[in-house]
Amino acid sequence: VLFALNQTLLQHESLRAGSLQAPYTTEDLIKHYNCGDLNAVIFNHDTSQVPNFINTTLPPHEQVTAQEIDSYFRQELIYKRNERMGKRVMALLRENTDKSFFFAFGAGHFLGNNTVIDVLRQAGFEVEHTPPGQPI
C-alpha cells in the first residue's frame, strides 16, 4: 500500500510540476463520453482508472512490485466491480421481464476493458447508448 501511495503521489507531483503530461484532458473524456465514443483510445486502457504504477525508471525489484499492484488493482477495483454491477443488472432484467428499466452508471463503469457494458453484451444483452439531449 505504501508503495502504491508513494507512486501515486510522485505521479501527481510530476503532473503538477509539468514534468509529466497527462495523455488526455478531462474535456477529452467528457467529449468522447457524451458522443458515446466508448471505444476511443482513452477509454480502452485496462488501467485507465488507476494510477500507472509501472515505471521503467524503477529498480527491477520495484518494477515487479509495481506490476503486481497494477494487476491487483485492475482485477479487484475494475473487473470484479463491473462484474458485480453487470450481474445485478442481469438479475433485475431476468426477474422482471415485463418491465422496462433505465440504468445510470458513473463514468468509471465505462472506462477501460471489461466494462459493465462488456459484461452485459457477453451475456447476450443488447445495450444502446443514448446521447445527451435525446429522449429515451
Side-chain angles (χ1 to χ4, degrees):
V1 172
L2 288 175
F3 177 85
L5 288 172
N6 283 333
Q7 291 301 310
T8 302
L9 289 172
L10 287 171
Q11 186 176 7
H12 283 278
E13 287 172 359
S14 296
L15 284 168
R16 285 188 185 149
S19 60
L20 179 65
Q21 185 69 23
Y24 48 82
T25 66
T26 302
E27 289 79 22
D28 292 332
L29 287 171
I30 292 168
K31 177 184 151 213
H32 287 285
Y33 180 81
N34 282 341
C35 293
D37 187 11
L38 300 178
N39 291 319
V41 171
I42 59 177
F43 286 105
N44 277 329
H45 297 290
D46 282 334
T47 55
S48 61
Q49 296 176 53
V50 295
N52 185 12
F53 297 121
I54 301 169
N55 180 340
T56 56
T57 63
L58 293 173
H61 70 282
E62 287 189 1
Q63 286 184 19
V64 171
T65 301
Q67 180 64 49
E68 290 171 353
I69 290 171
D70 187 72
S71 295
Y72 174 81
F73 278 163
R74 184 181 314 116
Q75 186 65 36
E76 296 300 318
L77 297 180
I78 300 171
Y79 297 165
K80 285 186 179 179
R81 178 195 66 177
N82 286 336
E83 185 73 26
R84 282 190 306 272
M85 295 294 288
K87 285 182 178 180
R88 289 176 185 156
V89 168
M90 285 186 274
L92 282 169
L93 293 172
R94 288 180 175 143
E95 292 168 7
N96 300 282
T97 56
D98 59 331
K99 295 182 180 178
S100 296
F101 288 90
F102 172 82
F103 296 100
F105 296 99
H109 292 282
F110 303 111
L111 297 174
N113 299 314
N114 300 310
T115 66
V116 172
I117 291 173
D118 294 335
V119 170
L120 293 169
R121 285 184 175 150
Q122 288 169 2
F125 287 89
E126 183 179 330
V127 180
E128 293 181 31
H129 169 75
T130 303
Q134 182 178 348
I136 297 174

